[in-house]
Amino acid sequence: MGCLDTDGAELLDRITVRPDIFDGKPVIRGLRIAVEHILAMLAAGDTPETVLREFPDLRPADIQACLSFCAPFSRGRASSRPNRHPGGSVKASSMSALLVAPDSTADD
């Protein structure tokens, strides 16, 4: 997939949450393509090229956006509530409230 000349905020703007699409799950550019589905495909061993073939509306930056969106989860970051935009959608760049800090009492 190579390096993209897209900064993190611009990438995250590709990820949106709308209550009327997949019950508010993060999706790519308002399409009915869930971030979790793309990540599951990559985790199962599909290449980015395979994902792009199966979803012709996606661009390489969309896959990078999915990965960038989830990176803070792996670092256990939490922050304030996301900012709502007109129409009830939320841009991923303001979605840090979805990030949950790890429970220090949880068993691994």
Side-chain angles (χ1 to χ4, degrees):
M1 201 161 56
C3 291
L4 300 171
D5 292 331
T6 308
D7 69 18
E10 184 178 323
L11 279 174
L12 290 178
D13 282 345
R14 293 175 166 273
I15 308 299
T16 58
V17 172
R18 290 183 35 196
D20 60 323
I21 298 178
F22 292 149
D23 293 324
K25 289 184 178 181
V27 297
I28 301 165
R29 292 185 288 122
L31 302 170
R32 292 187 175 275
I33 303 172
V35 169
E36 69 181 297
H37 185 77
I38 300 306
L39 294 172
M41 290 179 71
L42 295 171
D46 287 321
T47 64
E49 292 77 17
T50 300
V51 173
L52 293 172
R53 260 192 318 275
E54 290 195 28
F55 295 96
D57 290 334
L58 293 184
R59 302 291 172 257
D62 295 323
I63 296 173
Q64 188 65 39
C66 290
L67 297 170
S68 294
F69 174 76
C70 290
F73 284 93
S74 69
R75 294 188 291 268
R77 292 192 179 165
S79 188
S80 61
R81 297 187 59 83
N83 295 322
R84 293 251 173 224
H85 291 273
S89 66
V90 178
K91 291 285 187 181
S93 56
S94 66
M95 291 181 61
S96 53
L98 297 177
L99 308 180
V100 179
D103 183 357
S104 59
T105 62
D107 294 330
D108 289 339

